[in-house]
Amino acid sequence: MNDPGGMRASDAEREAVVEHLRQASVEGRLTLAELTERTEAAYLAVTQAELAQVTADIPGSPAAPGPAPAPYPPYAAPAAPRSGRARRWYAAIMSETKRKGKWRVEDEIGAAAVMGEVTIDLREAEVRTNRIDIVATAVMGSVKIIVPDGVDVELEGVAIMGEKKVHVIEAPPGQNVPVVRVRAYVVMGEVKIIGDSRAKPIRRALAEWTEWWLERRAETRGDVQGMLRDMRGERHALHRSFHEARREQRREEQEARREWRREEQRARREERREWRDTRHDGPPYPPPPAEPPYPPRP
């Protein structure tokens, strides 16, 4: 009889596991980075056993694979008006402010940098909703927001003589992943959102499901990594061929200069030899004129 855990997982079962992960995040059991990673693992899972492994260390998970449980209610923004939401501010005026590590995100985040720098690292933050709202203001300063790769980023706002940009590897379309929404107001400054791949890595323990997820991710991205390795190999081969051609060209130039010097020296020696031969083999010098005889004495 076939193993029940080896049964193929359905889309409804994957969505149910994602909802369970989001509920665990609301309860403070998962950080944003862990939620993003496990969400990706759930969407990459092929069998029900793999899905069960994703939530094995979360209370309320099914002990054995089976029919998909009813999904949790979808997360939504609070019913209160947006203007009434509390906002937690991080400001830097001609200084530097950093917020990273383990911390809880319950309210809207505000970041203001005036001739300074504000860094907000959300990778190890515990989130209570599926959407994080951030208002970033940079006046001749910089606001940097670090998020785990795999989240959806929405960046809007105004930049005057400044820059606002996103460098994040987002999830494929159609996946129910956390959303980070940033409203940026920039005046001669910079607001940037970067992902895990562009930031200093964080240290966290790897559970059994994480090892499985890393293996799955390596399989799915093996073709890309192999292509990158081939590109690096071709680049190195091109550099080697270029340097070899350059060395060969320098050798030919040096040999041509040496040959020119040898020809010049032979020509000079030949000129000196001809000059010596012309001096010794030519007609003798004419004798000096004879003196007239003295007149006889009277």
Side-chain angles (χ1 to χ4, degrees):
M1 186 174 180
N2 294 333
D3 182 11
M7 298 294 293
R8 308 278 294 191
S10 65
D11 292 340
E13 290 170 340
R14 295 188 184 93
E15 292 295 339
V17 170
V18 171
E19 293 295 336
H20 189 76
L21 292 172
R22 294 168 63 182
Q23 180 65 24
S25 174
V26 170
E27 296 171 354
R29 303 181 188 276
L30 298 175
T31 64
L32 181 61
E34 292 170 342
L35 173 61
T36 305
E37 290 176 353
R38 296 199 188 199
T39 299
E40 183 176 358
Y43 282 114
L44 289 175
V46 178
T47 63
Q48 292 179 352
E50 294 174 349
L51 279 177
Q53 195 175 13
V54 172
T55 57
D57 58 346
I58 299 176
S61 303
Y72 290 93
Y75 295 92
R82 185 179 187 130
S83 59
R85 294 187 61 184
R87 185 177 296 168
R88 193 173 183 179
W89 281 95
Y90 299 93
I93 301 175
M94 300 182 66
S95 61
E96 183 179 10
T97 299
K98 293 184 179 181
R99 189 64 179 94
K100 59 183 181 179
K102 296 283 187 179
W103 59 299
R104 182 175 299 178
V105 178
E106 296 178 331
D107 306 320
E108 188 177 275
I109 299 174
V114 180
M115 300 180 66
E117 181 178 355
V118 176
T119 301
I120 298 177
D121 193 343
L122 296 173
R123 292 176 293 178
E124 295 183 284
E126 297 177 0
V127 297
R128 292 297 184 262
T129 62
N130 196 44
R131 191 184 75 181
I132 302 175
D133 290 316
I134 301 176
V135 177
T137 304
V139 180
M140 300 180 66
S142 173
V143 175
K144 180 170 66 175
I145 302 170
I146 306 175
V147 300
D149 287 320
V151 303
D152 283 341
V153 178
E154 299 178 2
L155 177 60
E156 58 184 22
V158 179
I160 301 175
M161 298 180 66
E163 184 179 20
K164 53 186 180 69
K165 56 186 177 181
V166 178
H167 293 296
V168 178
I169 302 175
E170 297 187 357
Q175 293 188 2
N176 192 3
V177 297
V179 178
V180 178
R181 184 178 181 183
V182 180
R183 300 194 308 275
Y185 304 96
V186 185
V187 178
M188 299 178 66
E190 179 185 45
V191 172
K192 58 183 178 181
I193 301 99
I194 63 175
D196 236 347
S197 57
R198 293 178 174 266
K200 184 178 180 180
I202 57 177
R203 292 185 178 182
R204 52 180 178 265
L206 296 178
E208 184 179 358
W209 71 267
T210 310
E211 297 176 358
W212 166 84
W213 174 76
L214 290 174
E215 294 176 359
R216 292 285 301 167
R217 193 173 188 180
E219 292 176 2
T220 57
R221 300 185 179 181
D223 296 339
V224 178
Q225 294 176 354
M227 182 180 64
L228 293 176
R229 285 194 296 269
D230 294 341
M231 292 176 61
R232 287 194 293 268
E234 293 177 358
R235 185 181 63 182
H236 294 327
L238 182 62
H239 286 176
R240 285 195 298 270
S241 61
F242 172 77
H243 291 307
E244 290 177 359
R246 189 74 183 101
R247 286 195 295 269
E248 183 65 24
Q249 182 181 3
R250 285 197 294 266
R251 283 196 296 268
E252 293 178 356
E253 291 176 355
Q254 293 174 358
E255 183 63 26
R257 284 195 294 268
R258 285 194 292 267
E259 183 64 24
W260 180 81
R261 294 193 188 98
R262 287 193 292 267
E263 290 293 336
E264 186 71 16
Q265 292 174 357
R266 282 196 294 269
R268 291 178 180 177
R269 286 195 297 268
E270 187 66 25
E271 290 178 358
R272 287 195 296 268
R273 187 180 301 109
E274 291 179 358
W275 179 77
R276 287 195 300 268
D277 294 344
T278 302
R279 180 179 178 182
H280 295 289
D281 298 341
Y285 291 102
E291 295 180 1
Y294 291 100
R297 294 181 179 180

